[in-house]
Amino acid sequence: MKNILTSLLFLLFLNSLAAQSRQKPVSERVDSVMALMTLEEKIGQMTLFTTDWGSTGPTIRPGYREDIKEGRCGALFNAHGVAFTRELQRIAVEESRLKIPLIFGYDVIHGFKTIFPIPLGEAASWDMKAVKASAGVAAAEASAAGLHWTFAPMVDISRDPRWGRIMEGAGEDPVLASAIAAQRVQGFQGIGTFGEPNRILACVKHFAAYGAPFGGRDYNTVDMSERMFREVYLPPYQAAIAAGARTVMTAFNELNGVPATANKWLLTDLLRNELRFKGMVVTDYTSINELVPHGVAANEKHASELAVLAGADMDMQGAVYQRFLKELVEEGKVPIARVDEAVRRILRLKFELGLFDDPYRYCDEKKEKSVILSDHNRAIARDVARKSIVLLRNENILPLSKEVKKLAVVGPLAADKDNLIGFWSAAGEGQHCVSLVDGIRNKLGTGVELLTAKGCEITGNDRSGFAEAVEQASQADAVVVAIGESREMSGEAASRADISLPGVQEELVKALMGTGKPLVVVLMNGRPLTIPWLGENAPALLETWWLGTEAGNAIADVLFGDYNPSGKLPVSFPRHVGQIPVFYSHKATGRPYQPNNKWRSKYLDITNEPLFPFGYGLSYTTFEISAPAPDKTKFRSGEVVKVHVKVTNTGNREGEEVVQLYIHDKVASVTRPVKELRAFQKVSLKPGETKDLLFVLFEKDFAFLDQNLEWTIEPGEFEIMVGNSVDNVKAVVVVRVE
Ligand code: NOJ
């Protein structure tokens, strides 16, 4: 009885404390909670577990409910839906001693239930409004399903399409990827003060340089110069942090000898002291435990010590803080101040989310029903999807006429739904996805006869379905063939050594071409593929990535000309896997490439050029882009250079063009890339219309890291180039004077 009374009084005390403190600044409210916490409870806040609903890694921890009740776990992931999150939140706020609410995280990478194009595909839109809108819808749906936190955006630059996670980033270029990173953060979190209930916390990942593993093999070693790191790989993280990202995730890889999760230089010197990041750092899935096999920690206790001292605030799924941190503090190996600092950061997020005021703030069944997969969200997904399609070839085949009477829609992906939502598709379900066949049917109605056949599977060498597909094609007025990868072929732990089209799909296309019918190849894949034959022979070739829930409708919009394709590649497509890494901003070398000169930096058996370059993508109309016209030919310190460019739609369809501006520092104390993207604008033009574009180049656009790794601009000539892909530009020279 006495015990019950004491607990009741304690409860009342906590409630009145909460009510009184509502008006106080967050830091004071955090302190008031901290004052009540035991060391074990603090460590509980630093612990994140997956539920058994789904796993996104190699381990599952049963007993997480008990952990919540005992205050041994302050955050969960892989739980979503109002009913489930409410049930778990109830344990935290009713059954744990301090009633601290849980945060629910999830990999909402390209949509929650309404799935958007994979991030690499979305990057091909070069459309910042579209990118932000997509993250905004993802946040609205995820928050309506009880979630507070997404493990996105993934901002890792990658120049190696063997790496399966290239699908999750924005490609090879730091300027494009930084712009996209900022939009994604703001789409998820909103701008400025955080805390609107239709937004979720963003988590920038994977800090850092996870996208450059040797051999393109996931989780592999990363070793690169600090110059390369700072000039190419770091900017997108920086941009995401500057855009307000509240959390950062450590990477699995080592960077120059020190695994990211134990890397004090990365997590403290750079992230906190230099980039001024104020939020919370979470590790990746068991990445503290992995410090043991990495060989920098003798055991998991040692690993915990290294990680917490390096700056990792929250342990994802490793349960090592839970097991060892108390001991480490008691032994004096980890100062309690470091634990307090981490817990403060975590509690601050919970206050900002409004969870202390209402732990069920994100638990509204009505909202869940009305927001998720709404027509409104699907319409945005369709628009973003069609903007992400890249037209790679078109020999006067596209757009197809809507008057077509018989259309063959064949290939292993023609009627597929499950693959089209891609890897990391959160709560997305294939059943809600519009297949290509359905998209075409939706567009053309019953007036067209659709002849369908699979032809073959994505993998394997069974050609027994070829005959049927060829038969269908030969009866049709035109043929659309959908081929590519399955969704498991890219994403985490999905590196491929051979990135050509799997199975006998290319042979199927050749067999179909034998019919002589107008033929469109629709690629569906998570990475650049080595497809030299298709790249040189397909009558029409569309790169559609994994476009998500509205894939079929979006592709049909492009096939039949209701949307004029405007996507541009955010990453180079190699001709051959042996060229990798192939990226546009390479150095000249002392023996620059010349195809007919043996003594040059080249291969004996293949060109240096990619199959399709960065920034490339065709339209159903044509554009003329003028040479860049700078407002001055000489500029001094403190001056900006204003560059005027005229772009004209010279064809007879309305369309959008991405005008890209590159620079080249011709002579510098450190070798510079042959081209570097500095700015871009996407504009829409009616037939015959001309627009004047203004690009303003600031000091930073001409700067680079000198031999002492200090940012500098050196006097001399800079080429300024503009065009509609990296290999189609017009140039002028401006001079920087002392
Ligand atoms: C491991 C992945 O690397 C990371 O990106 C993801 O957020 C976590 N698993 C959680 O699923």
Side-chain angles (χ1 to χ4, degrees):
M1 184 65 192
K2 201 171 154 217
N3 271 350
I4 297 178
L5 209 67
T6 324
S7 320
L8 265 176
L9 283 174
F10 187 61
L11 244 177
L12 278 174
F13 166 71
L14 284 178
N15 280 342
S16 73
L17 205 74
Q20 278 169 33
S21 72
R22 218 153 278 164
Q23 310 307 327
K24 293 190 179 153
V26 171
S27 56
E28 279 181 40
R29 298 184 74 186
V30 168
D31 286 343
S32 66
V33 178
M34 295 277 295
L36 303 172
M37 297 174 85
T38 63
L39 178 55
E40 287 92 333
E41 283 163 336
K42 288 179 180 171
I43 294 167
Q45 290 303 306
M46 296 168 72
T47 298
L48 165 68
F49 286 132
T50 176
T51 70
D52 45 9
W53 253 35
S55 165
T56 45
T59 62
I60 282 276
R61 181 181 167 81
Y64 60 90
R65 284 167 203 261
E66 207 48 35
D67 285 320
I68 303 170
K69 198 166 147 187
E70 297 304 324
R72 289 195 302 250
C73 159
L76 287 175
F77 67 116
N78 292 332
H80 55 85
V82 168
F84 191 35
T85 54
R86 182 191 287 281
E87 177 197 336
L88 298 170
Q89 191 69 294
R90 194 200 56 74
I91 305 178
V93 299
E94 290 185 20
E95 297 183 23
S96 77
R97 190 183 80 93
L98 283 182
K99 315 190 176 327
I100 299 176
L102 296 165
I103 289 192
F104 293 100
Y106 197 39
D107 288 287
V108 181
I109 307 294
H110 52 113
F112 173 71
K113 186 73 99 177
T114 303
I115 301 301
F116 283 74
I118 56 168
L120 184 66
E122 207 173 85
S125 73
W126 294 57
D127 185 322
M128 298 305 109
K129 277 197 192 129
V131 169
K132 189 191 251 170
S134 150
V137 169
E141 291 198 354
S143 58
L147 291 166
H148 312 125
W149 184 24
T150 175
F151 302 139
M154 191 280 226
V155 303
D156 299 311
I157 294 287
S158 180
R159 295 171 165 191
D160 194 331
R162 290 172 298 183
W163 190 53
R165 296 195 84 169
I166 197 169
M167 60 140 292
E168 224 184 307
E172 73 181 47
D173 181 74
V175 167
L176 177 62
S178 296
I180 289 175
Q183 296 300 324
R184 287 193 170 135
V185 167
Q186 293 184 349
F188 288 133
Q189 286 192 174
I191 302 172
T193 329
F194 180 72
E196 292 164 50
N198 59 343
R199 302 289 186 178
I200 49 178
L201 296 168
C203 182
V204 187
K205 68 188 190 185
H206 305 81
F207 200 65
Y210 179 42
F214 284 155
R217 220 172 62 217
D218 208 2
Y219 316 128
N220 204 8
T221 307
V222 177
D223 203 311
M224 68 168 66
S225 71
E226 189 171 339
R227 177 190 320 287
M228 173 71 96
F229 175 65
R230 286 185 177 272
E231 287 187 355
V232 177
Y233 287 80
L234 187 60
Y237 306 106
Q238 245 170 318
I241 290 165
R246 291 290 202 281
T247 73
V248 166
M249 186 185 293
T250 68
F252 284 126
N253 56 282
E254 69 162 79
L255 178 60
N256 303 338
V258 185
T261 305
N263 197 321
K264 192 154 196 250
W265 176 76
L266 265 183
L267 302 186
T268 300
D269 301 349
L270 179 62
L271 185 61
R272 301 280 174 194
N273 302 340
E274 201 179 313
L275 305 187
R276 302 262 153 233
F277 175 63
K278 300 267 181 296
M280 187 269 282
V281 173
V282 62
T283 71
D284 204 343
Y285 205 110
T286 60
S287 68
I288 305 181
N289 316 54
E290 292 167 23
L291 298 176
V292 177
H294 264 297
V296 293
N299 49 47
E300 290 188 342
K301 181 173 170 189
H302 185 201
S304 309
E305 181 185 340
L306 293 176
V308 76
L309 292 179
D313 299 318
M314 187 184 273
D315 166 14
M316 183 195 287
Q317 188 58 15
V320 283
Y321 283 179
Q322 190 189 68
R323 281 181 286 144
F324 305 113
L325 203 46
K326 182 162 182 266
E327 242 170 270
L328 287 165
V329 171
E330 286 165 357
E331 289 165 9
K333 290 189 173 138
V334 172
I336 183 70
R338 171 67 195 105
V339 172
D340 285 350
E341 175 185 65
V343 177
R344 270 206 182 85
R345 289 173 182 150
I346 294 160
L347 293 180
R348 169 169 278 276
L349 294 177
K350 295 187 175 184
F351 273 109
E352 286 183 338
L353 285 162
L355 296 176
F356 275 96
D357 300 327
D358 176 6
Y360 303 111
R361 193 166 177 235
Y362 290 67
C363 295
D364 175 344
E365 277 87 356
K366 253 172 79 197
K367 191 168 159 194
E368 184 176 36
K369 280 209 185 74
S370 65
V371 171
I372 292 175
L373 221 52
S374 66
D375 290 349
H376 172 257
N377 293 354
R378 291 190 76 129
I380 298 176
R382 178 176 184 160
D383 187 48
V384 177
R386 58 195 203 170
K387 287 179 168 153
S388 304
I389 296 172
V390 186
L391 178 61
L392 295 174
R393 277 178 67 83
N394 189 15
E395 306 288 292
N396 269 329
I397 302 285
L398 287 171
L400 297 173
S401 162
K402 285 185 192 163
E403 306 308 315
V404 61
K405 289 282 164 278
K406 277 188 181 185
L407 185 68
V409 188
V410 298
L413 286 157
D416 186 277
K417 290 164 173 259
D418 290 339
N419 284 301
L420 269 60
I421 57 175
F423 198 75
W424 287 125
S425 44
E429 292 168 83
Q431 56 161 324
H432 300 302
C433 177
V434 180
S435 71
L436 177 57
V437 171
D438 290 345
I440 293 175
R441 172 67 68 211
N442 293 343
K443 170 94 34 206
L444 300 183
T446 48
V448 64
E449 190 181 340
L450 293 186
L451 308 169
T452 59
K454 233 177 165 182
C456 63
E457 299 297 331
I458 295 170
T459 53
N461 53 12
D462 183 358
R463 297 168 180 82
S464 61
F466 278 24
E468 187 198 3
V470 169
E471 171 59 25
Q472 302 286 51
S474 54
Q475 286 177 32
D477 306 323
V479 185
V480 177
V481 54
I483 52 173
E485 295 179 293
S486 69
R487 63 197 281 235
E488 294 78 24
M489 286 182 178
S490 60
E492 188 178 349
S495 296
R496 293 177 64 201
D498 173 359
I499 55 167
S500 60
L501 260 181
V504 290
Q505 298 181 94
E506 192 170 292
E507 273 182 56
L508 174 67
V509 176
K510 287 178 180 162
L512 293 167
M513 274 173 68
T515 64
K517 297 293 169 109
L519 180 129
V520 184
V521 178
V522 175
L523 289 170
M524 299 174 173
N525 47 288
R527 56 156 63 78
L529 297 171
T530 48
I531 41 167
W533 185 84
L534 282 176
E536 276 152 15
N537 296 286
L541 186 61
L542 280 179
E543 175 54 81
T544 72
W545 322 99
W546 300 120
L547 287 180
T549 308
E550 286 289 320
N553 286 333
I555 299 170
D557 285 344
V558 166
L559 286 175
F560 297 96
D562 285 340
Y563 182 77
N564 187 352
S566 63
K568 302 276 177 177
L569 296 178
V571 60
S572 313
F573 271 43
R575 284 172 186 276
H576 190 281
V577 77
Q579 290 177 309
I580 296 172
V582 56
F583 53 94
Y584 82 87
S585 64
H586 59 82
K587 303 289 184 72
T589 82
R591 295 186 173 192
Y593 179 61
Q594 271 183 8
N596 300 322
N597 184 340
K598 174 177 169 62
W599 305 102
R600 293 300 180 124
S601 176
K602 64 193 279 280
Y603 301 100
L604 287 177
D605 49 352
I606 195 171
T607 162
N608 285 12
E609 301 302 325
L611 179 62
F612 296 113
F614 177 82
Y616 170 83
L618 303 171
S619 163
Y620 296 156
T621 187
T622 47
F623 297 95
E624 173 72 31
I625 299 176
S626 72
D631 66 340
K632 47 178 90 65
T633 48
K634 293 190 171 143
F635 68 107
R636 293 182 159 56
S637 170
E639 287 182 336
V640 298
V641 179
K642 293 182 182 163
V643 182
H644 293 269
V645 181
K646 278 192 192 331
V647 52
T648 306
N649 182 343
T650 49
N652 47 21
R653 262 174 195 269
E654 186 168 352
E656 290 157 278
E657 181 60 298
V658 179
V659 181
Q660 305 156 36
L661 184 148
Y662 298 86
I663 67 150
H664 175 220
D665 188 344
K666 290 176 76 175
V667 180
S669 54
V670 170
T671 60
R672 301 306 303 151
V674 293
K675 283 175 190 155
E676 292 177 276
L677 182 73
R678 282 292 175 258
F680 59 90
Q681 291 183 41
K682 187 165 188 173
V683 282
S684 174
L685 296 164
K686 299 207 165 43
E689 190 183 353
T690 297
K691 279 190 179 158
D692 284 308
L693 307 183
L694 173 65
F695 292 92
V696 183
L697 296 175
F698 298 90
E699 296 247 287
K700 67 168 178 39
D701 294 314
F702 299 97
F704 66 92
L705 288 173
D706 68 13
Q707 293 186 21
N708 301 316
L709 295 182
E710 305 282 350
W711 287 102
T712 189
I713 307 171
E714 289 177 351
E717 290 186 345
F718 287 86
E719 270 180 299
I720 296 177
M721 295 158 269
V722 295
N724 65 357
S725 102
V726 73
D727 71 345
N728 182 27
V729 292
K730 293 176 183 152
V732 294
V733 171
V734 294
V735 184
R736 162 84 180 196
V737 289
E738 299 264 19

